[in-house]
Amino acid sequence: MFGIENLWLFVISGLLLNMSPGPDTVLIVSRSASQGIRAGLIAVAGIGSGVCVHIVAAALGVSALLTTSATAFTLVKLAGAAYLLYLGVKMLLAKRAPAGGQAKTVAAASARSIFLQGFVTNVLNPKVALFFLAFVPQFIAADAANKALAFLVLGGIFNLNGMLWCMFLAVSAGLAGKKMKVSSAVGYWLDKSVGALFVALGVKLALADQR
């Protein structure tokens, strides 16, 4: 159907790839644990929306520009790295709330802010675009009548798998956080840890090459 080959292998491979820890996992778990399941699911929605942008761009051939143009790749890469660094530094510099108060940190983030963090960290990561260009075409027949449609179908399946896994993470982390009753002190140090990790991921992305 649609010129798609080895769909079962694609589904299994995609699920395993989605389960690999990364910035998305960190964002979802930290939000769910400190602010609840709803916040984690909002982060999932932002992440899924960001992936949709890459899927459509790759299907239309726009993402191919990142493969052929070193300048375009560098600009997108640096923008993404700068955003991750911004998030990380913001968390690291957040001040601890007074005893009995709520820390103005991860737990205080608005729904809009959480959604945008998930969305932007994906859209501004050129590695995601290159991944789709390298991975998805392997499961599309060379003689497929409509390769763009096949790409969109496979991309949708991959994103659905990813969102299901991310929702599982959000619910699990949210329930664990509720059970442990994360205090402002724990939330404060959770922010610091996540902030340091985002800074490290930003530096890693900034130093990434085009391959």
Side-chain angles (χ1 to χ4, degrees), residues 34-179:
S34 61
Q35 195 170 343
I37 295 175
R38 179 176 177 273
L41 293 178
I42 291 173
V44 173
I47 290 166
S49 298
V51 173
C52 283
V53 172
H54 283 295
I55 293 171
V56 174
L60 296 177
V62 177
S63 293
L65 178 65
L66 295 175
T67 303
T68 58
S69 172
T71 301
F73 178 87
T74 300
L75 289 175
V76 175
K77 177 188 71 172
L78 292 179
Y83 186 69
L84 284 173
L85 289 171
Y86 163 76
L87 290 178
V89 171
K90 184 178 180 181
M91 291 179 182
L92 289 173
L93 296 180
K95 294 182 179 180
R96 183 173 178 176
Q102 184 183 39
K104 191 176 180 182
T105 56
V106 164
S110 66
R112 179 176 179 274
S113 175
I114 295 171
F115 179 89
L116 288 176
Q117 285 178 5
F119 180 78
V120 176
T121 52
N122 273 271
V123 170
L124 293 182
N125 188 346
K127 289 292 186 177
V128 177
L130 297 183
F131 163 76
F132 278 111
L133 287 175
F135 180 69
V136 177
Q138 298 179 52
F139 299 90
I140 300 176
D143 58 352
N146 192 329
K147 291 185 173 62
L149 178 59
F151 200 107
L152 288 173
V153 171
L154 288 173
I157 293 173
F158 180 89
N159 199 19
L160 177 61
N161 276 343
M163 291 191 71
L164 289 174
W165 170 250
C166 288
M167 285 189 282
F168 169 76
L169 287 178
V171 172
S172 299
L175 291 175
K178 185 177 181 180
K179 186 175 182 180

